[in-house]
Amino acid sequence: MRSIWNGAISFGLVSIPIKLVNATESHSISFRQIHVNDGGRVRYRKVCELDGEEVPSAEIGKGYEEADGSIVPITDEDLAQLPLATAKTIEIMSFVPAEEIDPLQMDAAYYLAANGATAAKPYTLLREALKRSRKVAIAKYALRGRERLGMLRVVDDVIAMHGLLWPDEIRAPEGVAPDADVTVRDAELDLADALMATLGEVEMASLHDDYREAVEALIVAKSGGAFEPTEAVVEPAGGQVIDLMAALERSVRAAKASRGEADGEGEGEAGGEGEGAAEAEVTPIRRKARAGAGTRAGTGAAAPKAVGGKKSTAASAKKTAASAATKKKTTTAGGKSATGKSTSRTAKTTAKSMAKTAAAKKTGSGAAASAKKTAAPRKRTSA
């Protein structure tokens, strides 16, 4: 990597020759300004206000403008002759715990590389001292025409320096906090803690600039002439939070779902034991129909068996009579036909005959029982 500044670290009476190398780089895509009508590039030209002529970069210097508008020229030689110890030196002033540095002060970052073989030993000494003390070094240095504040710390096996803003360059956060008096409940803090724990940590190396990648794809597509604009899917922004607890609970569930974790809420409810509980079906149990109820209600249930010959014969007679009546109704509307009358007489005769037969069976059954009773021998009674 190319160095942008050469100097030394002043560590008490120890001087460590170093080279300053940029530790960061910008991957943002820059655009040129063009004339929309014809696509011509729009350029800025540096023109002198006195003669109106364009001035090349080699003839451009620095100058300080006074309150009355007059310009005081300042050259690089003038700045180099300033009596500053930090002109070519990173001067360490103190060592402090890293947590005492406000991240708001952080600015550009640089790597400090040992410059030459003689710098290896003191460079390693400072690096190991920073590691063991678990502190950072606060230093001053001059770069690009101004004195700056820096913080030295160890990154892997390299000493890195972060440019720091001066304390008076940090604005006080006046009027930024909410004016309303808001009280946060412990239950809300518990849910916030649960959400933080669910989201967990992130691999910083896995983060990338989605917008830059989309712009690069757009440039490739338009340069190839195959660009088809598509409407971006933008989720609606959330409105005013009405129920903070409900929003936190939903956030926790969504975070768990995105990580493939079970929510755990509602388990065991409604007798749900195991995964198959939600898919169980309930089959209703039909009660047994009472005797004759199925036939009377038209459910088609089988009627109970008749006890005795009389009931069976009577049921047969009624069924035959009903059949005959049905046949009688099928005759023509002009009057009763001879066939219908004959069928009716036959049905009546059959019913009477069956009734007599049933009576005779009952009588015979009674006589047989009486005869059996008479024929049974009597037991002798002993004297």
Side-chain angles (χ1 to χ4, degrees), residues 323-337:
S323 177
T326 304
K327 290 182 179 179
K328 183 178 180 181
K329 288 181 181 179
T330 56
T331 56
T332 58
K336 296 180 180 179
S337 62

Side-chain angles (χ1 to χ4, degrees), residues 216-232:
E216 290 175 349
L218 170 65
I219 294 171
V220 171
K222 293 201 75 171
S223 62
F227 174 69
E228 295 183 2
T230 57
E231 185 176 355

